[in-house]
């Protein structure tokens, strides 16, 4: 790790500032960082000597949905089940390795999506206390669910028929966001979502209201039309997964500013590697239809102005931390989003929606930048090679070449 001088000058042949693209044809840009903030952005006129000269610069990526204690690269399902029985030290070691993978992909902000062992809280606090950390972390601690329903590894129970207010009031000060398990998982054999929603619209609205009074955002694990309609009626801040969407729900989301984190990657992996789970030809067909419907609705969401946010569900089978988010950006491109829209969904938008400090490449913003050897506007595959450097605060940290 190399310490930067009090002033760091980055010269970029092209850049994406979080909102707009400045192409190489417009000429190189000098970005000046002092005291941890961007203080000047302007055409390179020869008056400054760059500390770093790169092909492309952008804000650090944001991973909106991950499980830091799970190794998405472990594809043996029996071993994955054993991971849930591991001791705390093993889980923490896995989480720290996942943070390193996250940083190596150019992610500088990540949001966990819940674990019952508190590994996410521990990693959040470790990173916050480490001035050399390249990644900052948001944690919901444990989410909330109903007893004997899906989500035991990431949520605590609120009894059936019990007003959720007391539980949320007791937990809300310790979390960065409130996670709600609203529906079950997808039954790939049946091609639908298991079970009815875990909370009514009135119950979920109560959870949202208590969280908002404490200044916290809410996000819901939710797929299937029944759950999606409950989520938008209750005013949830973000819908995670959101499979089996329809236009009416998307229009309401656009009107109310509700975000959507579509998490293509876990389902795409099940379709791409069906032999690992032993899926039948019929189930493989269901997976393809689910993905095609998701692509259609994410493209429609973009056209309607829904707040799309990139999150991979890293830690799920076949979804490694860091690389999974890059895959998610490619899924957005496959859905018809422009590279500008896809990168906005993975940089500036989540920071704005979560009330985080802006990391756009504009004067006054926090210095939280990643530099690449080539521009993804020329070839999105540049993202797969990872950044050549991260600039965070007053530090310029080179990355070793990707293996």
């Amino acid at each position: 790790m190399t310490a930067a001088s009090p002033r760091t000058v980055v010269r970029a042949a092209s850049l994406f500032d979080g909102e707009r693209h400045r192409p190489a044809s417009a000429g190189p840009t000098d970005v000046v960082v002092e005291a941890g903030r961007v203080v000047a952005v302007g055409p390179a006129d020869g008056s400054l000597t760059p500390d770093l000269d790169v092909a492309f610069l952008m804000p650090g990526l944001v991973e909106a949905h991950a499980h830091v204690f799970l190794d998405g690269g472990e594809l043996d399902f029996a071993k994955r089940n054993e991971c849930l029985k591991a001791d705390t030290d093993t889980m923490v070691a896995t989480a720290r390795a996942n943070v390193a993978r996250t940083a190596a992909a150019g992610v500088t902000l990540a949001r966990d999506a819940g674990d019952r062992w508190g590994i996410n809280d521990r990693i959040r606090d470790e990173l916050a206390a480490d001035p050399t950390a390249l990644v900052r972390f948001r944690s919901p601690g444990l989410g909330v669910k109903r007893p004997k329903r899906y989500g035991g590894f990431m949520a605590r129970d609120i009894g059936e028929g019990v007003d959720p207010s007391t539980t949320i009031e007791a937990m809300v000060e310790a979390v960065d966001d409130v996670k709600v398990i609203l529906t079950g998982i997808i039954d790939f054999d049946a091609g639908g979502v298991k079970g009815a929603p875990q909370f009514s619209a009135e119950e979920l609205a109560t959870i949202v209201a208590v969280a908002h009074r404490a200044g916290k955002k809410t996000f819901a694990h939710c797929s299937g039309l029944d759950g999606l309609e409950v989520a938008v009626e209750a005013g949830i801040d973000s819908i995670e997964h959101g499979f089996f969407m329809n236009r009416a729900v998307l229009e309401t989301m656009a009107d109310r500013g509700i975000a959507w984190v579509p998490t293509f990657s876990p389902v795409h992996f099940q379709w791409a590697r069906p032999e690992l789970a032993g899926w039948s030809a019929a189930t493989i067909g269901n997976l393809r239809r689910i993905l095609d419907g998701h692509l259609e609705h994410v493209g429609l969401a973009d056209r309607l102005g829904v707040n799309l946010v990139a999150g991979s569900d890293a830690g799920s089978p076949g979804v490694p931390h860091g690389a999974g988010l890059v895959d998610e950006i490619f899924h957005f491109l496959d859905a018809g989003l422009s590279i500008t829209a896809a990168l906005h969904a993975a940089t500036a938008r989540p920071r704005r929606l979560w009330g985080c400090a802006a990391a756009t490449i504009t004067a006054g913003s926090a210095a939280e930048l990643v530099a690449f050897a080539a521009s993804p506007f020329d070839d999105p595959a540049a993202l797969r090679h990872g950044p050549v450097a991260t600039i965070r605060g007053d530090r310029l940290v080179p990355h070793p070449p990707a293996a």
Side-chain angles (χ1 to χ4, degrees), residues 217-358:
K217 299 291 186 180
T218 57
F219 63 121
H221 170 108
C222 180
S223 287
L225 192 55
D226 289 346
L228 293 167
E229 289 176 341
V230 167
V232 296
E233 181 179 346
I236 199 78
D237 293 300
S238 180
I239 290 172
E240 315 291 299
H241 317 305
F243 288 90
F244 310 106
M245 187 67 75
N246 70 9
R247 185 185 186 103
V249 171
L250 288 173
E251 288 175 343
T252 303
M253 291 172 69
D255 289 344
R256 298 183 182 180
I258 296 171
W260 183 17
V261 184
T263 65
F264 281 95
S265 295
V267 179
H268 186 272
F269 179 78
Q270 296 289 333
W271 171 78
R273 297 292 306 277
E275 75 280 2
L276 294 175
W279 296 128
S280 67
T283 300
I284 295 168
N286 285 341
L287 287 161
R288 187 65 258 172
R289 283 188 291 275
I290 291 167
L291 287 167
D292 288 345
H294 217 44
L295 286 166
E296 177 185 350
H297 287 117
V298 168
L300 177 58
D302 179 53
R303 296 191 296 276
L304 290 173
V306 174
N307 283 322
L308 287 168
V309 173
S312 69
D313 209 359
S316 297
V319 189
H321 289 258
L325 179 68
V326 175
D327 286 341
E328 203 67 22
I329 292 170
F330 276 78
H331 292 309
F332 277 18
L333 298 177
D334 289 342
L337 273 68
S338 67
I339 186 67
T340 297
L343 291 179
H344 180 61
T347 57
R349 179 177 288 141
R351 289 182 172 94
R352 173 179 61 80
L353 293 175
W354 300 346
C356 298

Side-chain angles (χ1 to χ4, degrees), residues 144-152 155-162 181 197-199:
V144 294
K145 60 180 278 292
R146 289 302 192 188
K148 300 181 181 179
R149 301 292 299 275
Y150 170 74
R156 74 195 76 199
D157 287 339
I158 297 177
E160 292 286 354
V162 174
I181 312 302
Q198 297 193 28
F199 297 91

Side-chain angles (χ1 to χ4, degrees), residues 10-15 22 27-31 44 52-57:
V10 182
R11 182 163 296 162
S14 65
L15 62 79
R22 180 179 172 86
T29 301
D30 281 346
V31 178
L52 180 68
D53 199 332
V54 295
F56 181 74
L57 188 69

Side-chain angles (χ1 to χ4, degrees), residues 33 36-38 358-359 365-369 391-394:
V33 174
R37 307 198 78 79
V38 175
S365 292
E368 196 174 320
L369 315 173
I391 300 92
R392 177 150 208 149
D394 292 326

